[in-house]
Amino acid sequence: MSTCATVSRDLDEPISGTAATATTWLLLEQPGPWGAKALTSSHLDPALGRALEAAAAHTGVRIALIRRPGRHADPAPSRVRQVYAAHTVPGNAWLHSATTTEPQDLLALDFAALGAGDPRSFGSALGGRVHTADPLALVCTNGKRDRCCALLGRPLAAELAASGVDGAWEVTHLGGHRFSPTVLVLPYGYAYGRAEAHAVKEILHGVQEGRVVVEGCRGGSAWERPGQAAELAVRTAAGEYAVDALSVVRTDGAAPRWEVTVAHVDGRHWRVIVAQGASLPPRPESCGTSVLGSPARMDVVAVRELTTAPTG
């Protein structure tokens, strides 16, 4: 059976620069089945889902639903739900956790402040605290969005949970289902595609050491897609894998060509040329369509270390 993920893998479609963009992730536990647009098509009150979507718009916060790996036909309802908030910008990355019995309490959050990296409203509204347990591995399993996420994501989530990965959760749409299984790792916000359990465990081990694994990495969600590709290219070129070492400080230009400036905490800078191309030959970008498309790809054309710091 051919799927969009099979086609993407067979055509060796580049994976860098394809991660969803969010400075802050807000995750709410919602057991049971999920529809294609999970915030408004699950057992969560759809009016609340719409209100949360509106509150998060243009703030840098992306909301997703999570559930523990396992059967989801319709489990016995539990009033206590897990909630996480994670900010992903280097130098101020954090992961806080809370529980709630009233999901509508999330509307009391200051979404603009959360998007900017201020967690205080998460504490005041939900009693949230710094998450001190293992990092999170969020596996997209939303089969109603694309069947690849269910066919490939659910077995991965189950394998991670069965092997003792306490931070393993299923999550709604992460984008890029043709790269399934897709995984988001928090607190640092790096996304991975075509993931396998042993690789995810190595990635999580790296997180605990403050180190980024670049193999299979789609990019860091703190950056727009040209910045994601540029940052990963600099990591590879400079052999720099410390998670807080690099930041995307400037992006000039527009599609299909950008000049991205990447800065190191030690003062070094790189200029990276990123070009948007089309993945050929045309192929189905999703399992639910017979329409052929050419997905945009981010190609790093050049990486150059600057001898003097950029100005302006």
Side-chain angles (χ1 to χ4, degrees):
M1 176 177 61
S2 179
T3 65
C4 65
T6 302
V7 173
S8 176
R9 186 189 295 265
D10 288 348
L11 293 175
D12 198 25
E13 181 182 350
I15 207 166
S16 175
T18 65
T21 300
T23 55
T24 301
W25 291 84
L26 179 63
L27 309 171
L28 171 65
E29 184 177 3
Q30 177 57 61
W34 297 331
K37 296 184 178 179
L39 272 180
T40 53
S41 54
S42 69
H43 289 327
L44 185 70
D45 179 356
L48 174 59
R50 287 190 292 271
L52 288 170
E53 284 182 333
H58 311 299
T59 65
V61 177
R62 184 171 174 129
I63 305 173
L65 303 181
I66 57 174
R67 63 192 177 195
R68 284 297 188 183
R71 294 180 56 84
H72 306 300
D74 238 332
S78 171
R79 287 185 53 81
V80 179
R81 301 169 189 242
Q82 182 68 49
V83 188
Y84 295 104
H87 189 62
T88 63
V89 176
N92 186 34
W94 47 257
L95 173 60
H96 288 205
S97 64
T99 57
T100 185
T101 59
E102 303 294 342
Q104 62 266 30
D105 287 348
L106 272 66
L107 291 174
L109 294 169
D110 185 337
F111 283 85
L114 282 176
D118 180 351
R120 286 177 292 182
S121 71
F122 193 76
S124 59
L126 298 171
R129 300 174 179 271
V130 174
H131 178 76
T132 57
D134 291 345
L136 305 185
L138 306 162
V139 183
C140 181
T141 62
N142 194 351
K144 289 288 196 266
R145 190 89 182 200
D146 190 281
R147 68 181 180 182
C148 284
C149 299
L151 291 172
L152 302 174
R154 290 193 65 190
L156 174 61
E159 183 177 355
L160 290 172
S163 65
V165 177
D166 291 336
W169 291 86
E170 297 187 6
V171 68
T172 51
H173 188 52
L174 294 178
H177 32 250
R178 64 189 184 278
F179 303 120
S180 295
T182 62
V183 180
L184 175 71
V185 177
L186 295 176
Y188 298 122
Y190 284 89
Y192 292 83
R194 303 174 186 144
E196 298 179 359
H198 67 89
V200 175
K201 291 177 183 178
E202 171 58 27
I203 292 161
L204 293 173
H205 182 64
V207 170
Q208 291 174 317
E209 296 182 338
R211 173 173 51 83
V212 177
V213 173
V214 298
E215 185 175 355
C217 190
R218 300 175 60 196
S221 72
W223 318 122
E224 297 294 333
R225 292 184 176 183
Q228 294 173 11
E231 188 234 24
L232 290 174
V234 170
R235 287 194 179 280
T236 300
E240 177 56 82
Y241 306 110
V243 71
D244 283 332
L246 299 179
S247 292
V248 176
V249 295
R250 180 167 175 165
T251 301
D252 296 307
R257 188 177 179 89
W258 299 266
E259 288 191 2
V260 182
T261 304
V262 178
H264 195 289
V265 291
D266 66 10
R268 286 180 290 164
H269 288 76
W270 290 261
R271 184 68 46 78
V272 184
I273 307 300
V274 180
Q276 178 176 300
S279 295
L280 298 173
R283 80 291 303 273
E285 295 184 50
S286 171
C287 288
T289 180
S290 58
V291 177
L292 300 184
S294 300
R297 53 186 280 174
M298 293 293 151
D299 293 319
V300 173
V301 177
V303 178
R304 180 169 62 91
E305 185 173 353
L306 304 178
T307 55
T308 58
T311 59

